[in-house]
């Protein structure tokens, strides 16, 4: 008798315990699963960013380490440096040269890939090939192609009677050369994103237009492009964050890696490197890093606002079109 | 592939001119690689003379041997493999876990935390290099591969990607069913979540691998010249052979080969991955 | 996505993962290491051309337990960046690090990061000033001198001939004269012959010749920066740029175009310290006509020259010091001179017949040993180089390049130089 009661009580207790365990399991497991991400991100993402702010208000030497607290001195100094503004200009200029033509080019290529081609996958793979070439390698190849006096591109230009362009001296040409490297590597990738979006457009839209007598070019401009707008925005947003931090290509563009004698193609990240590791001034390097961080955040917010507005309006337009 | 009802209205076979244009595009994407082989197969004297030699020279293997001699090529290759695989593995594991939780489990703060993850995708973590360098120096990790692997172990994008995928790919009923059978939380993740996540996880691994493989900035700062990854070794090659582009570009060719091999075998999956990601994103 | 070949991908991931697990363990630490048998691997970091390749093989042969790994940077800037970064990181330096005289001063403030190399064996080995420059305030010797850079003028006799100028090196020396004015005047004469080849490679290189003749160009002996107020500097700056406007090829040194121009008749003359001979013969491989004249504008001049140091980071300090001492011994430095023209800084080497009798086949069998020895004897000024010398000179080089490239006028570029110097803080 007593034994049986005992057993019952024990199993009851076990059930209760299991139940409790189970409740904990349900309640805490999700946090357990997401915690590695948050802990690691805090350690290697968030903490360094905040610590950058700390370093930026100190005298801080690469070798000598932390010095005195100097308040906003580093920011003041950096903002009064012409090279800071040059770098800011270059960063945006290179970004524009690499994003606008890339979007246009990718959209065009995608339109062709959208035809009912033979061996579709092969063509798609073909445009993606440059994506697997590391930026450093791309930069080495193109620095050679863009040689000022003995490069292939100038030689070809000379062949059609155009004077040699000083790719490593003049501002705009150097930006074009660097943007070409970026475009070479990423256009295929972007093309495939557009292609996917194009294929998702219901074909009734086209049929309606063709019945109305529109030709192919016309349908591309009046149907495809407007419908791709959200994707275009998406592409530009994703390229902003990386594009504004561009380092590899300008660094490898010449031997010295400082972005030219007049900093013609020095970008902000390159400037951070020069301040931190060339002049060994970690305080100023951190100040520039924080300023760039703010720039990127502002742009991200702008992006967000614009995207919402445009995405909203496009959706409305598609809906009204669909009704017709 | 058969459901061609959506293809932009172009369902007739296109004319030759379309192929012509596409061939030109392909030429553009392959030419620079071909060019680096062209230069890499000649010698210094030949390429510095004016006039372009369009026929590959016979010097590629000799150049490659010199390259392997000048920079620690095999170490760099091995390091790139180690770093890229470790990072890919770690990103996939942590992203799948977190993505599963965000997509399929209910807990307080879920929405807020997910928005936080998405917001951090816009945070340029690369800008933390100064403190990262300070920390790595203090830890004595500079020069070791850990210094490159540790900061890359999680990405917000990975979590976002897995969350998106699992939301659609894994029916809630399935999880409930295994839970009914008495599986613990981790058990149901293991038996249902993980198998469902596999295709997206593989894709994430592939893209993370390539991104890590081609990464330069941070490894360049924190690794030693004697123990580099491939892009860092390439930079050294440019430095060591300022004299000679044939050597530099033959090194470029050598460094490209591994990923081109990956591309040949998995390029189709890469294409599919980008296109699927685009539709979702 | 559903049709993804699972097995293939799973295999790739699993394979990659297992490689990672196996290998991270053993390669997490750098293995510049030693093993039980007393075998050591020594890493040596140099830049430009030190002429050590054959010597390493020789040393390895004589010391079978030693393996040497050579890391070579293109420019001294590159080597400097790498050195300071690894110094800051506290790891990753080579066992033997080469340091150039221009940035040696800025490292002297961290001299405790390098071992004291002074020993009875090497006492009195070097020219006095060479050794003094590498001695810190506490009297510790942190670097063994390798070479010095007495400067001569290298020229293309074939181009001279085409322009109707003398080609014989004694006559050329006479024609070039001993002042900057006479050197530039010869250039004008060359240009007027209509060969369409510029006289020298770049204003920046010419600047190096000029600035190394100024005793306190950028800094007073107490370290006060005077670069922007010193009238000598501004005067020299204007002179060089004046000359460059008509005579320069505007090819900044070490750039791709500069390198390629050696194969394309880029310029007719070039200031050449001993270590430059190896650079020229390497770049101009196959080009006939290079020669060297026993003169230098503005008197003598020394450009560059280096040291070998052993960082305290090295795990094989003793072996590293032994190697550095051996490499910088007169015999070895003579052999480096024979292969790449790096001119020795060791007293015994300077007096040796081997040096004085040395000729260089590439330079039309010129008696380079004797010429450079004469050039070394002509050096009368030891320029003071302080902690900021390198950074200021780098800014100056960029200022000159800006004008050469036509990006700015000399005045604008000078103003920018002033800002740059100020920002060095």
């Amino acid at each position: 008798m007593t034994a049986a009661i005992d057993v019952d009580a024990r199993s009851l207790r076990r059930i209760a315990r299991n139940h409790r365990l189970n409740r904990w399991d349900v309640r805490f497991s999700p946090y357990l699963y997401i915690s590695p991400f948050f802990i690691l991100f805090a350690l290697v993402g968030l903490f360094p960013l905040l610590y950058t702010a700390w370093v930026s208000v100190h005298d801080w030497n690469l070798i000598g380490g932390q010095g005195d607290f100097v308040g906003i001195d580093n920011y003041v100094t950096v903002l009064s440096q012409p090279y800071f503004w040059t770098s800011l200009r270059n960063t945006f200029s290179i970004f524009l040269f690499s994003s606008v033509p890339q979007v246009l080019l990718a959209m065009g290529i995608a339109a062709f890939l959208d035809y009912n081609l033979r061996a579709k996958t092969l063509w798609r793979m073909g445009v993606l090939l440059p994506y697997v070439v590391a930026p450093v390698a791309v930069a080495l190849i193109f620095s050679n192609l863009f040689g000022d006096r003995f490069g292939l591109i100038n030689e070809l230009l000379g062949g059609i009677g155009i004077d040699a362009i000083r790719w490593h001296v003049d501002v705009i040409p150097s930006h074009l050369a660097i943007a070409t490297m970026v475009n070479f590597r990423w256009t295929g990738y972007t093309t495939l994103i557009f292609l996917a979006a194009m294929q998702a457009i219901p074909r009734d839209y086209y049929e309606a237009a063709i019945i109305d007598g529109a030709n192919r070019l016309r349908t591309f401009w009046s149907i495809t492009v407007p419908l791709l707008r959200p994707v275009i925005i998406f592409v530009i947003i994703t390229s902003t964050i990386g594009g504004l931090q561009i380092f590899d290509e300008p660094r490898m563009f010449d031997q010295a890696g400082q972005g030219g004698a007049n900093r013609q193609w020095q970008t902000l990240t390159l400037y951070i490197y020069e301040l931190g590791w060339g002049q060994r001034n970690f305080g100023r390097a951190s100040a520039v890093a924080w300023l760039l961080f703010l720039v990127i955040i502002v742009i991200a917010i702008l992006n967000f606002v614009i995207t919402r507005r445009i995405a909203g309006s496009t959706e409305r337009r598609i809906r009204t079109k669909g009704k017709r | 592939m058969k459901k061609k009802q959506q293809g932009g209205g172009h369902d007739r076979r296109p004319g030759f001119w379309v192929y012509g244009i596409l061939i030109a595009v392909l030429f553009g994407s392959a030419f620079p690689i071909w060019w680096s082989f062209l230069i890499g197969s000649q010698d210094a004297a030949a390429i510095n003379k004016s006039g372009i030699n369009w026929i590959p020279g016979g010097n590629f293997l000799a150049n490659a041997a010199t390259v392997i001699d000048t920079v620690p090529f095999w170490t760099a290759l091995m390091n790139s493999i180690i770093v890229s695989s470790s990072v890919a593995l770690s990103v996939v594991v942590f992203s799948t876990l977190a993505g599963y939780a965000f997509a399929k489990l209910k807990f307080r703060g879920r929405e807020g935390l997910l928005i936080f993850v998405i917001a951090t995708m816009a945070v340029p973590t690369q800008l933390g290099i100064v403190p990262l360098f300070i920390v790595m120096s203090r830890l004595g990790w500079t020069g070791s591969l850990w210094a490159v692997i540790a900061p890359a172990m999680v990405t917000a994008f990975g979590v976002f990607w897995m969350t998106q995928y699992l939301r659609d790919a894994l029916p809630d009923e399935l999880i409930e069913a295994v839970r009914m059978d008495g599986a613990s939380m981790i058990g149901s993740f293991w038996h249902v979540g993980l198998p469902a996540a596999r295709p997206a996880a593989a894709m994430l691994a592939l893209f993370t691998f390539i991104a890590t493989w081609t990464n330069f900035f941070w490894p360049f700062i924190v690794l030693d010249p004697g123990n580099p990854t491939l892009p860092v070794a390439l930079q050294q090659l440019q430095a060591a052979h300022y004299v000679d582009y044939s050597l530099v570009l033959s090194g470029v060719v050598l460094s490209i080969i591994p990923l081109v091999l990956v591309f040949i075998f998995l390029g189709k999956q890469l294409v599919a991955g980008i296109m699927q990601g685009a539709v979702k994103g | 996505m559903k049709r993804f070949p699972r097995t293939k991908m799973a295999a790739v991931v699993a394979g990659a993962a297992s490689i990672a697990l196996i290998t991270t363990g053993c390669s997490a630490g750098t293995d510049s290491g030693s093993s039980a048998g007393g075998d050591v691997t020594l890493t040596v970091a140099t830049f430009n051309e030190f002429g050590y390749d054959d010597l390493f093989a020789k040393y390895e042969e004589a010391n079978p337990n030693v393996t040497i790994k050579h890391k070579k940077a293109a420019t001294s800037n590159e080597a400097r960046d790498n050195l300071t970064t690894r110094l800051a990181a506290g790891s990753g330096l080579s066992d033997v690090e080469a340091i150039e005289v221009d940035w040696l001063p800025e490292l002297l403030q961290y001299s405790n990061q390098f071992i004291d190399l002074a020993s009875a064996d090497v006492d009195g080995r070097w020219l006095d000033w060479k050794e003094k420059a590498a001695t810190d305030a506490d009297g510790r010797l942190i670097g063994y001198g390798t070479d010095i850079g007495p400067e001569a003028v290298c020229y293309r006799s074939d181009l001279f001939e085409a322009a109707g100028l003398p080609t014989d090196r004694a006559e050329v020396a006479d024609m070039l004269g001993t002042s900057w004015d006479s050197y530039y005047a010869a250039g004008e004469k060359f240009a007027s012959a209509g060969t369409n080849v510029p006289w020298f490679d770049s204003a920046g290189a010419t600047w190096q010749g000029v600035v190394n003749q100024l005793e306190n160009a950028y800094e007073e002996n107490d370290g006060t920066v005077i670069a922007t107020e010193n009238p000598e500097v501004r005067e020299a700056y204007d002179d060089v740029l004046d000359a460059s406007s008509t005579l320069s090829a505007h090819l900044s040194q070490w750039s791709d175009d500069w390198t390629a121009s050696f194969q394309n008749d880029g310029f007719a003359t070039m200031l050449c310290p001993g270590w430059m001979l190896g650079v020229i013969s390497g770049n101009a491989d196959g080009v006939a006509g290079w020669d060297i004249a026993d003169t230098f504008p503005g008197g003598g001049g020394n450009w560059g020259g280096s040291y070998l140091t052993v960082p305290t980071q090295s795990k094989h300090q003793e072996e590293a010091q032994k190697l550095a001492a051996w490499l910088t011994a007169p015999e070895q430095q003579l052999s480096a001179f024979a292969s790449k023209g790096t001119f020795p800084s060791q007293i015994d080497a300077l007096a040796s017949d081997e040096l004085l009798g040395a000729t260089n086949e590439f330079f039309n069998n010129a008696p380079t040993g004797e010429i450079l020895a004469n050039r070394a004897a002509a050096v009368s000024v030891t320029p003071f180089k302080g902690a900021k010398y390198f950074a200021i000179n780098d800014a100056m080089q960029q200022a000159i390049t800006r004008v050469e490239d036509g990006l700015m006028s000399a005045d604008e570029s000078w103003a920018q130089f002033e800002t740059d110097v100020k920002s060095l803080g």
Side-chain angles (χ1 to χ4, degrees), chain B residues 134-204:
Chain B
I134 296 172
V135 169
M136 292 300 168
S137 304
R138 293 241 173 99
L139 291 173
W141 284 10
T142 46
S144 90
L145 299 183
W146 282 115
V148 181
I149 296 171
M153 281 174 72
V154 293
T155 61
F157 171 77
V159 175
F160 177 68
W161 166 271
M162 293 311 298
T163 306
Q164 291 284 88
Y165 180 79
L166 283 173
R167 214 172 245 165
D168 304 340
L170 177 57
D172 290 333
E173 299 79 43
L174 215 56
I175 305 177
E176 271 156 34
V178 279
R179 288 283 292 156
M180 286 301 190
D181 288 350
S184 63
M185 293 296 273
I186 193 74
S188 57
F189 169 72
W190 189 257
H191 292 297
V192 186
L194 210 53
R198 224 182 271 170
M203 211 62 94
L204 180 63

Side-chain angles (χ1 to χ4, degrees), chain B residues 26-111:
Chain B
L26 253 50
F27 176 79
S29 72
F31 175 76
I33 299 171
W34 165 248
W35 175 258
S36 77
F37 176 70
L38 195 65
I39 298 289
S41 65
Q42 303 181 17
D43 60 29
I47 57 168
N48 282 336
K49 296 235 167 68
S50 28
I52 293 150
N53 199 350
W54 290 105
I55 301 153
N59 231 11
F60 182 75
L61 290 179
N63 285 342
T66 314
V67 167
I68 291 170
D69 220 34
T70 338
V71 295
F73 182 81
W74 299 117
T75 312
L77 179 66
M78 205 58 216
N79 285 347
S80 280
I81 294 174
I82 294 165
V83 168
S84 306
S85 334
S86 317
V87 169
L89 183 72
S90 145
V91 165
V92 163
V93 168
F94 292 136
S95 300
T96 309
L97 262 177
Y100 175 75
F102 277 125
K104 292 293 152 187
L105 305 180
K106 292 183 186 63
F107 54 97
R108 204 188 288 182
R110 181 172 79 166
E111 291 312 309

Side-chain angles (χ1 to χ4, degrees), chain A residues 83 166 255 258 280 284, chain C residues 84 106 256 398 405 420 423:
Chain A
Y83 291 157
R166 302 194 301 170
Q255 304 294 333
Q258 289 182 320
R280 305 166 195 173
R284 286 185 198 167
Chain C
T84 46
E106 63 185 25
D256 297 343
Q398 287 162 12
D405 286 345
D420 289 355
S423 79

